[in-house]
Amino acid sequence: PLGSYVASRYRLVALLGQGGSGTVYHALDLEADPPLPVALKLYHLPHGEGQSQRWRRVEREAHELAKIQHPAVIRLLAAGPWLDFFFVAMELAEGETLKSRLTREARLPEPAVKALGRQVAGALEHLWQHHLVHRDVSPGNLMLGLDGTVKLLDFGIAKEPGVSSLTVQSQFFGNPYYVSPEYILGEDHLDIRGDVYSLGATLYHAASGQPPFSGSSDLELLDSHFRFHPRPVRQIRAELSPELEALLARMLSRERAGRPWPAELLTAFA
């Protein structure tokens, strides 16, 4: 409950959000002087055979994530087990999410879409240099600052390719509107091009005012990533440039071999 303490260090101030992978609070780090506002995410630890070893590995991965420093990546400050939970303390970013902005404005001007793409591509390139993928790039996980900067949020399901992570095995976390086909299939050997796909779906939404895929249920929505190709974005918004349309189509290639790497996106969005 609000007002309680986590790990004898963090006092819970307000609820920021709740989802399938955990609950996020605005908290105060009382070991800092003065107390530091942080975003604190709590995951309930599953019990059972092999889980303690798995969560020790998760803790090691969290400490690796804490080494990531990039202007477009939210800073992970501390992580560890606490009672029946695993906590992750992160930098508290100010601004509004892209999801909130699109709810209010429906879509963004093309220069804003490109600037968003360039900053997030830089974050993805930095993650890949550290052999990490994010797996949940989506409008709700992009914080737009008042100064035009963007921060990639929520590393709760980030992982090293080929190993288990903060997700619970056999559960699907992520946003079905933006998730890559290989993640839907549960492939072990993911690479950063899965995040490029999710970024492409996010930018498609920002440019056109609607996600590239739809469905009457989550299952139908996930299936649409395999059965259909997105409608060319200029058929929805004719004033967009052919270059942006072509780039988004490549990013949303069903086969990851057809997608650009983040380093190429940095040039394309320049």
Side-chain angles (χ1 to χ4, degrees), residues 60-119:
R60 290 197 300 271
E61 291 174 12
H63 287 301
E64 288 301 310
L65 280 169
K67 299 175 184 177
I68 299 295
Q69 295 191 44
H70 186 275
V73 176
I74 203 75
R75 180 89 184 275
L76 193 151
L77 303 172
W82 173 71
L83 301 180
D84 289 333
F85 297 90
F86 189 88
F87 74 87
V88 177
M90 296 165 284
E91 167 192 0
L92 185 64
E94 296 184 355
E96 69 172 335
T97 64
L98 177 61
K99 180 180 179 180
S100 175
R101 176 75 60 85
L102 293 177
T103 299
R104 193 177 73 252
E105 298 182 4
R107 58 194 189 186
L108 302 182
E110 181 167 334
V113 173
K114 290 181 176 179
L116 179 66
R118 182 171 60 253
Q119 292 185 63

Side-chain angles (χ1 to χ4, degrees), residues 215-231:
S216 58
S217 67
D218 282 354
L219 187 60
E220 185 176 306
L221 179 55
L222 292 172
D223 187 54
S224 68
H225 288 262
F226 299 93
R227 296 183 58 200
F228 305 107
H229 292 287
R231 185 180 173 191

Side-chain angles (χ1 to χ4, degrees), residues 5-7 21-23 41-48 51-52 55 80-88 168:
Y5 294 82
V6 172
S21 62
T23 305
K41 188 159 189 174
L42 293 178
Y43 305 86
H44 194 272
L45 289 172
H47 296 286
Q51 290 296 342
S52 60
W55 283 99
W82 173 71
L83 301 180
D84 289 333
F85 297 90
F86 189 88
F87 74 87
V88 177
V168 181

